[in-house]
Amino acid sequence: AQSVTQLGSHVSVSEGALVLLRCNYSSSVPPYLFWYVQYPNQGLQLLLKYTSAATLVKGINGFEAEFKKSETSFHLTKPSAHMSDAAEYFCAVKREDRLAFGKGNQVVVIP
Amino acid sequence: KAGVTQTPRYLIKTRGQQVTLSCSPISGHRSVSWYQQTPGQGLQFLFEYFSETQRNKGNFPGRFSGRQFSNSRSEMNVSTLELGDSALYLCASSLDGGREDGYTFGSGTRLTVV
C-alpha cells in the first residue's frame, strides 16, 4: 500500500530562512503526490501536486517541491520563510481513489 | 467559483446521539470524499462518493455512513456518538477522484461529543 512519511512533527525556522519539509513515499507505481497546508481552524489548502508531468513542481505562496524517484522523495521548500507560513503542512499520496496523509509538520516561524 | 461548503462549522452533541454533516462540492465536481482529523490518528479516509454511489470506504465502523444526492451534495451521518468521534470532519471534492485536478477541501465541521 502506498503511504508517506514526514519526519519531525514540529519544525522551527527563522523568518527569511529556507523552509524544508521532507516527505518520503512508498509506492510500487508512479504516484500522485500532494502537499497541503492547514491554518488554525481551517480546512486543507492545496499547495502543489505532482502528477508525473514535471519533476519540479511550483505551487502557491512561493513553495515548490521536487519529485525524486531514486530517493522516493517529494520534499517541500521555500527559499525565504514569512511569518504567514506558520501553519501545519501535510504530504499526501493518492492511493486507490483516496488520499493517504503523513502525520504533518507544524511549522513555527521565529521573527 | 464557489468553494467547498461544509455545514455546520461547529457542533456539540451528547454521547449516544446521532449527527448529520453536510457538504456541497464545487459546481461540476462529482466526487466527494470525507476525512476525519484527530490529534491522535491524524487524517483518515472515511468514504468517497461518485455520482451518488459509494466508491470507496475506509476502515471505520458501520456507525459512520454517508450518501450523495443527484446534485452531488453529500451528507455523512454518525449514529450512537462516542467521545472518540470528536474530531474535525473534512469534505473534499474533485472532478474525477483527484487524478488530475487534485482535491479541494472545505473548512470542515468541528464535532465535539460530550
Side-chain angles (χ1 to χ4, degrees):
Chain A
Q2 298 181 41
S3 65
V4 292
T5 302
Q6 291 180 252
L7 296 178
S9 60
H10 285 75
V11 176
S12 293
V13 59
S14 297
E15 191 176 14
L18 172 73
V19 179
L20 170 60
L21 303 180
R22 301 178 188 276
C23 173
N24 288 89
Y25 67 91
S26 63
S27 172
S28 58
V29 296
Y32 288 94
L33 291 160
F34 305 84
W35 275 100
Y36 283 89
V37 61
Q38 186 176 35
Y39 299 100
N41 298 315
Q42 294 295 318
L44 302 175
Q45 181 181 11
L46 179 66
L47 279 175
L48 47 80
K49 63 182 185 286
Y50 169 76
T51 57
S52 76
T55 57
L56 183 62
V57 182
K58 293 188 183 299
I60 62 171
N61 301 341
F63 285 93
E64 65 180 35
E66 185 172 9
F67 173 74
K68 292 187 177 180
K69 185 177 179 180
S70 61
E71 299 177 6
T72 60
S73 69
F74 190 56
H75 301 334
L76 181 71
T77 60
K78 181 174 180 178
S80 176
H82 295 163
M83 297 301 294
S84 59
D85 295 327
E88 191 156 20
Y89 294 78
F90 294 93
C91 181
V93 63
K94 180 175 163 58
R95 180 189 77 184
E96 299 168 359
D97 288 325
R98 69 188 70 180
L99 291 174
F101 288 89
K103 294 293 188 185
N105 294 120
Q106 184 68 53
V107 171
V108 175
V109 182
I110 302 167
Chain B
K1 56 183 177 181
V4 179
T5 302
Q6 290 189 246
T7 56
R9 285 296 309 275
Y10 301 93
L11 209 47
I12 301 175
K13 289 287 188 179
T14 305
R15 274 182 300 175
Q17 287 186 314
Q18 75 166 12
V19 67
T20 299
L21 312 182
S22 179
C23 172
S24 293
I26 291 172
S27 178
H29 284 193
R30 293 193 293 165
S31 168
V32 174
S33 304
W34 290 88
Y35 291 81
Q36 181 196 64
Q37 185 178 25
T38 60
Q41 299 299 316
L43 284 150
Q44 294 185 286
F45 172 78
L46 281 156
F47 29 65
E48 185 216 6
Y49 286 86
F50 186 86
S51 295
E52 301 181 64
T53 301
Q54 186 181 88
R55 193 159 64 172
N56 288 288
K57 190 176 191 305
N59 189 26
F60 277 81
R63 300 185 297 106
F64 291 81
S65 64
R67 59 179 176 169
Q68 187 179 32
F69 302 95
S70 58
N71 62 358
S72 292
R73 189 177 72 86
S74 177
E75 289 181 347
M76 67 163 281
N77 183 277
V78 188
S79 62
T80 320
L81 284 165
E82 300 176 0
L83 294 179
D85 297 333
S86 295
L88 180 66
Y89 291 88
L90 293 165
C91 162
S93 83
S94 70
L95 275 170
D96 58 355
R99 287 180 180 83
E100 290 300 326
D101 61 318
Y103 298 82
T104 302
F105 283 80
S107 296
T109 294
R110 172 75 63 184
L111 172 65
T112 302
V113 182
V114 298

